[in-house]
């Protein structure tokens, strides 16, 4: 079990004016599964490579259990990185690929064979040791890459977009496999992804990085319920933002007065709420019920997406298709934005 | 017209020329090596030319020398080329210039290179004279024999000078298309810098390196001009020996020259086969 601490980690590539990663700080508890989430080019993979020792930071520090590892060579750090495209050595058999790390440590041949067999069982590929990587499917290659990393029992495991190359049905299988192996072996694990869904389903905690800077580091649900700012909310699919002024639990805007959750801040701010938390109402009996006009609707099978105008604001709502049957574009309706689901962003 | 036919017709002129020149030449050579040369009245084919080739001691000495030249040049060039490619793939200031200089002598003909070696390294060459001038040796003739020498150092020097960029350019392109991620994986799995080169990069660049070095081996084994200019008189490299027989005043020596040429072709084929097999087994483990 290893506690990983990243302190003000910065990377400016030679010739670049802007840092690719700007003073990133993170504390990752022992045995935790943490996601670094952000769009392509936001510095996620750069961060991973610096943790793995494959890239030198411009400044900042990385410590494992309080000890700086920046001067350790990559092969001595106890960190293994699994790349997005797996990078299995094409000229080696699956078994040789998996046993590679042990061979480099000059482990006895019989011991390597024994451990390779055991780990291939754990990733549910017991009979594929003799095959070449090119004879495996993408999902199988992913599992071989994972086995190759886990066999050396790293202190820290780094995964680069672990689910993004997989089909939808394989994603959940892989997610469960990664989670169960990670928990079983207690390896502190960091993975990067550009896909918020991948981050949410896999991670204990998510660090959102936008433009080389960390925006928010929190549990997955916090990004939906309590985003730190508008760009964070938008990254997680937030669509609804209303400017106004908050005072004593009441938010005043062009929509009139809306109740806020308890302990909300005072002052100028933006009110946000998830599309899936809006309710269609029949009367004004509930607080925070306002007039709306339906401008468009989009049927998505398990849900229906509604586009609404509330005053001069464009709002999106996601509803159960049964609840909104019969509503037609142009119709005036009532919607409730429950006080316990709104979130006030103050600048 | 089917695509196949179209491709065949488009290739036909080139194939025809190659076929006529190569196979025609080979056929005539083969016939003559069997002592079949009606022009000078030889109409009963036999193996006497081969017999005299294989009973000639000079042939074996020449073969050993030629193998030594080809093998040593190929191995040294390959090692230096990989080393150079490893340096050139790094990012550094002035890389483009160094890269250009590295490849520059690809355009210089072998003959020019050979004459350069002669001017620089022979006992009457520039280095010998400089060494004598600076008092490092008493007379220019004390300069070590690097040209016309029994170890063929001058020849190997010339081939290495010429072939390092040839193999290097191929290996470098290969390395650049492979990228550095495989080595990163290896490092993170616990391989040292050397181990990741030996067990990961080398096997990955190996196919490209092998085909380039096979070409170098075949060329250096069968080339005439460099050993003719820079080689000792005895033993001479096989192609030189064959050419001497071919230009012998006695036309009867021609079948022997042809037999030798055929033997050179077969030997280089066999050696390339063995080289490919052996090195593939060694590297890919």
């Amino acid at each position: 079990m290893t506690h990983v601490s990243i302190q003000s980690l910065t990377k400016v590539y030679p010739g670049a004016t802007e840092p690719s990663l700007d003073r990133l700080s993170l504390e990752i508890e022992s045995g935790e599964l943490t996601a670094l989430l952000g769009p392509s080019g936001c510095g996620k993979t750069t961060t991973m490579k610096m943790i793995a020792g494959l890239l030198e930071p411009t400044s900042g520090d990385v410590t494992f259990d309080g000890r700086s590892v920046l001067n350790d060579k990559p092969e001595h750090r106890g960190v293994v990185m699994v790349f997005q495209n797996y990078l299995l050595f094409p000229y080696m058999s699956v078994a040789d690929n998996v046993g590679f790390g042990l061979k480099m440590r000059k482990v006895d041949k019989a011991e390597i064979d024994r451990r390779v067999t055991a780990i291939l069982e754990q990733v549910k590929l017991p009979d594929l040791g003799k095959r070449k990587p090119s004879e495996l499917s993408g999902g199988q290659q992913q599992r071989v890459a994972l086995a190759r990393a886990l066999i050396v029992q790293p202190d820290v495991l780094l995964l680069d977009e672990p689910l993004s190359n997989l089909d939808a049905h394989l994603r959940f299988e892989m997610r469960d496999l990664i989670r169960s192996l990670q928990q079983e072996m207690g390896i502190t694990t960091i993975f990067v992804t550009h896909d918020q869904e991948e981050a949410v389903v896999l991670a204990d905690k998510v660090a959102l990085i936008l433009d080389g800077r960390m925006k928010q580091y929190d549990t997955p649900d916090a990004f939906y319920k309590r985003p730190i700012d508008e760009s964070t909310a938008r990254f997680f699919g937030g669509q609804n933002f209303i400017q106004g002024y908050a005072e004593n639990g009441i938010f005043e805007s062009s929509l009139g007065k809306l109740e806020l959750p308890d302990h909300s801040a005072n002052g100028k701010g933006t009110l946000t709420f998830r599309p899936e938390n809006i309710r269609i109402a029949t009367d004004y009996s509930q607080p925070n019920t306002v007039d709306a006009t339906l401008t468009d609707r989009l049927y998505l099978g398990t849900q229906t997406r509604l586009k609404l105008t509330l005053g001069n604001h464009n709002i999106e709502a996601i509803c159960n298709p049964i609840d909104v049957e019969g509503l037609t574009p142009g119709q005036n309706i009532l919607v409730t934005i429950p006080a316990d689901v709104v979130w006030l962003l103050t600048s | 017209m089917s695509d196949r036919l179209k491709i065949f017709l488009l290739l036909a002129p080139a194939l025809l020329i190659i076929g006529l020149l190569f196979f025609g030449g080979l056929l005539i050579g083969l016939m003559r090596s069997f002592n079949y040369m009606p022009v000078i009245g030889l109409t009963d084919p036999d193996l006497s030319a081969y017999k005299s080739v294989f009973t000639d001691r000079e042939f074996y000495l020449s073969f050993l020398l030629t193998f030594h030249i080809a093998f040593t040049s190929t191995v040294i060039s390959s090692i230096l080329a990989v080393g150079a490619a490893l340096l050139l793939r790094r990012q550094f200031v002035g890389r483009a210039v160094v890269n250009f200089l590295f490849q520059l002598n690809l355009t210089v003909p072998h003959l020019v290179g050979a004459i350069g070696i002669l001017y620089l390294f022979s006992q009457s060459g520039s280095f010998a004279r400089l060494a004598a001038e600076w008092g490092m040796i008493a007379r220019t003739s004390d300069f070590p024999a690097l040209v016309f020498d029994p170890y063929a150092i001058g020849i190997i020097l010339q081939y290495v000078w010429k072939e390092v960029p040839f193999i290097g350019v191929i290996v470098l392109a290969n390395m650049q298309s492979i990228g550095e991620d495989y080595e990163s994986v290896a490092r993170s799995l616990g391989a040292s810098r050397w181990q990741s080169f030996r067990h990961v990069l080398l096997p990955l660049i190996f196919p490209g390196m092998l085909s380039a070095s096979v070409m170098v081996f075949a060329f250096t084994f069968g080339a005439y001009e460099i050993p003719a200019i820079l080689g000792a008189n005895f033993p001479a490299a096989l192609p030189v020996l064959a050419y001497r027989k071919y230009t012998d005043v006695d036309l009867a020596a021609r079948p022997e020259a042809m037999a030798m040429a055929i033997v050179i072709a077969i030997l280089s084929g066999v050696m390339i086969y063995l080289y490919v097999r052996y090195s593939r087994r060694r590297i890919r483990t």
Side-chain angles (χ1 to χ4, degrees):
Chain A
M1 296 284 236
T2 305
H3 175 97
V4 178
S5 171
I6 297 168
Q7 292 147 17
S8 295
L9 201 61
T10 301
K11 179 70 189 177
V12 188
Y13 281 101
T17 46
E18 295 280 302
S20 296
L21 189 73
D22 192 7
R23 287 163 291 164
L24 177 76
S25 294
L26 267 185
E27 295 293 323
I28 295 157
E29 297 300 325
S30 292
E32 216 170 53
L33 186 51
T34 298
L36 300 185
L37 172 67
S40 307
C42 76
K44 299 167 307 214
T45 305
T46 298
T47 309
M48 292 264 257
K49 287 192 167 170
M50 289 193 286
I51 298 172
L54 302 170
L55 199 63
E56 253 182 59
T58 308
S59 62
D61 202 357
V62 177
T63 68
F64 293 172
D65 290 332
R67 194 183 68 82
S68 173
V69 294
L70 287 189
N71 291 323
D72 295 356
K73 289 182 176 168
E75 64 267 34
H76 298 138
R77 277 200 190 185
V79 181
V80 175
M81 179 162 171
V82 178
F83 285 69
Q84 181 180 9
N85 37 1
Y86 321 137
L87 296 173
L88 300 178
F89 306 129
Y91 49 91
M92 284 186 200
S93 70
V94 165
D96 287 344
N97 261 288
V98 174
F100 182 84
L102 299 181
K103 187 178 168 190
M104 294 304 106
R105 288 169 174 74
K106 307 212 169 6
V107 174
D108 178 59
K109 178 90 177 60
E111 171 71 5
I112 295 180
D113 289 345
R114 195 185 63 72
R115 281 166 66 180
V116 166
T117 311
I119 196 95
L120 281 176
E121 295 226 346
Q122 270 188 298
V123 298
K124 303 186 177 68
L125 295 174
D127 305 314
L128 298 185
K130 288 205 175 69
R131 296 236 192 128
K132 283 279 163 73
S134 56
E135 298 167 335
L136 303 181
S137 70
Q140 288 171 329
Q141 289 188 27
Q142 163 98 325
R143 281 184 277 167
V144 173
L146 194 62
R148 179 173 71 173
L150 291 172
I151 200 166
V152 300
Q153 296 170 331
D155 300 324
V156 178
L157 178 66
L158 305 175
L159 307 170
D160 193 357
E161 309 260 356
L163 306 180
S164 59
N165 284 356
L166 300 176
D167 295 340
H169 69 282
L170 278 177
R171 290 184 129 210
F172 285 99
E173 213 179 292
M174 197 63 204
R175 167 196 180 269
D176 291 345
L177 183 69
I178 291 175
R179 273 215 77 109
S180 69
L181 287 172
Q182 190 262 342
Q183 307 266 305
E184 204 175 299
M185 302 174 104
I187 301 171
T188 307
T189 303
I190 305 168
F191 72 98
V192 303
T193 177
H194 66 276
D195 178 354
Q196 35 109 354
E197 190 191 314
E198 183 171 335
V200 167
V201 298
L202 197 54
D204 296 318
K205 279 180 103 174
V206 177
L208 177 68
I209 301 173
L210 296 176
D211 302 324
R213 302 204 64 170
M214 186 159 78
K215 281 286 185 181
Q216 188 168 356
Y217 179 43
D218 225 322
T219 53
D221 63 327
F223 286 88
Y224 293 90
K225 293 180 188 159
R226 301 180 300 277
I228 195 147
D229 62 13
E230 198 174 316
S231 58
T232 303
R234 283 192 189 279
F235 196 86
F236 277 79
Q239 298 283 349
N240 306 327
F241 302 96
I242 293 166
Q243 279 72 40
Y245 193 86
E247 196 162 18
N248 302 326
I250 297 295
F251 185 77
E252 275 210 56
S253 69
S254 56
L255 298 183
K257 289 182 179 178
L258 293 173
E259 280 182 30
L260 290 172
D262 298 339
H263 316 298
S264 285
N266 289 334
K268 226 175 127 200
T270 303
L271 194 73
T272 183
F273 40 92
R274 300 287 310 173
E276 57 272 22
N277 290 337
I278 298 175
R279 307 265 170 274
I280 306 294
T282 46
D283 54 43
Y284 292 99
S285 59
Q286 294 294 319
N288 290 4
T289 299
V290 293
D291 295 312
T293 309
L294 179 64
T295 54
D296 198 7
R297 53 180 295 161
L298 190 62
Y299 177 63
L300 296 172
T302 54
Q303 51 181 236
T304 297
R305 202 171 268 265
L306 302 181
K307 285 193 192 289
L308 306 167
T309 9
L310 274 66
N312 54 358
H313 296 281
N314 293 318
I315 295 296
E316 272 199 33
I318 293 173
C319 302
N320 189 329
I322 295 175
D323 297 343
V324 294
E325 252 173 43
L327 296 184
T328 49
Q331 193 175 342
N332 290 324
I333 56 173
L334 294 178
V335 295
T336 303
I337 309 160
D340 55 348
V341 302
V342 298
W343 176 247
L344 185 68
L345 303 167
T346 46
S347 37
Chain B
M1 202 189 304
S2 75
D3 278 357
R4 251 193 156 153
L5 189 64
K6 214 184 282 174
I7 290 168
F8 179 76
L9 285 177
L10 284 169
L11 284 175
L15 287 177
L16 203 69
I17 290 169
I18 292 171
L20 275 179
L21 288 179
F22 182 75
F23 288 105
L26 197 69
L27 192 71
I28 291 172
L30 202 62
M31 285 188 329
R32 290 190 177 174
S33 76
F34 287 120
N35 253 326
Y36 183 77
M37 204 169 160
V39 194
I40 57 163
L42 295 171
T43 48
D44 288 327
D46 61 33
L47 291 172
S48 60
Y50 286 93
K51 237 176 249 164
S52 65
V53 164
F54 284 118
T55 50
D56 186 358
R57 190 172 152 268
E58 191 181 1
F59 170 79
Y60 292 100
L61 286 176
S62 288
F63 168 72
L64 283 180
L65 176 76
T66 314
F67 178 78
H68 157 72
I69 291 172
F71 183 78
T72 313
S73 309
T74 307
V75 169
I76 294 178
S77 308
S78 304
I79 293 171
L80 292 179
V82 170
L86 283 173
L87 292 176
L88 284 173
R89 75 167 171 165
R90 296 201 184 166
Q91 294 296 333
F92 56 87
V93 182
R95 199 179 83 111
V97 176
V98 175
N99 208 353
F100 172 74
L101 290 175
F102 177 66
Q103 298 177 23
L104 190 63
N105 69 351
L106 282 174
T107 57
V108 180
H110 271 282
L111 272 180
V112 176
I115 289 166
I117 299 270
L118 208 56
Y119 279 158
L120 292 174
F121 290 96
S122 73
Q123 281 169 327
S124 57
S126 309
F127 289 146
R129 270 183 265 162
L130 272 179
E133 190 83 15
W134 292 341
M136 291 158 80
I137 49 175
R139 285 180 305 270
T140 54
S141 59
D142 291 342
F143 194 73
L146 301 176
V147 177
F148 317 127
D149 60 309
Y151 302 107
I153 294 173
I155 301 173
I156 292 169
L157 216 57
Q158 199 283 334
Y159 282 145
V160 168
W161 169 80
K162 180 77 182 159
E163 305 299 357
V164 164
F166 172 70
I167 303 178
V169 165
I170 294 175
V171 169
L172 181 62
N174 216 326
M175 279 181 190
Q176 281 164 342
S177 71
I178 290 164
E180 292 183 22
D181 282 353
Y182 279 107
E183 290 158 273
S184 296
V185 171
R187 292 299 297 278
S188 115
L189 288 168
S192 64
R193 210 180 268 275
W194 162 250
Q195 281 176 318
S196 79
F197 170 73
R198 170 63 189 87
H199 296 285
V200 176
L201 185 63
L202 192 58
L204 286 170
I205 60 170
F206 183 68
M209 193 180 101
L210 188 68
S211 30
S213 66
V214 161
M215 275 189 255
V216 168
F217 185 90
F219 175 77
T220 50
F221 193 83
Y224 165 80
E225 70 270 39
I226 305 304
I229 296 172
L230 298 175
N233 220 1
F234 180 90
L238 277 182
V240 175
L241 197 62
Y243 185 72
R244 272 188 211 155
K245 299 263 183 205
Y246 185 79
T247 51
D248 200 305
V249 284
D250 182 5
L251 271 187
R254 277 218 179 163
E256 229 179 289
M258 289 303 164
M260 211 173 271
I262 298 291
V263 171
I264 293 173
I266 293 172
L267 280 177
S268 46
V270 168
M271 281 182 300
I272 287 166
Y273 173 76
L274 291 177
Y275 173 68
V276 168
R277 262 197 68 152
Y278 172 77
S279 46
R280 186 166 290 163
R281 244 207 333 257
R282 289 279 303 179
I283 301 289
R284 301 222 137 178
T285 48

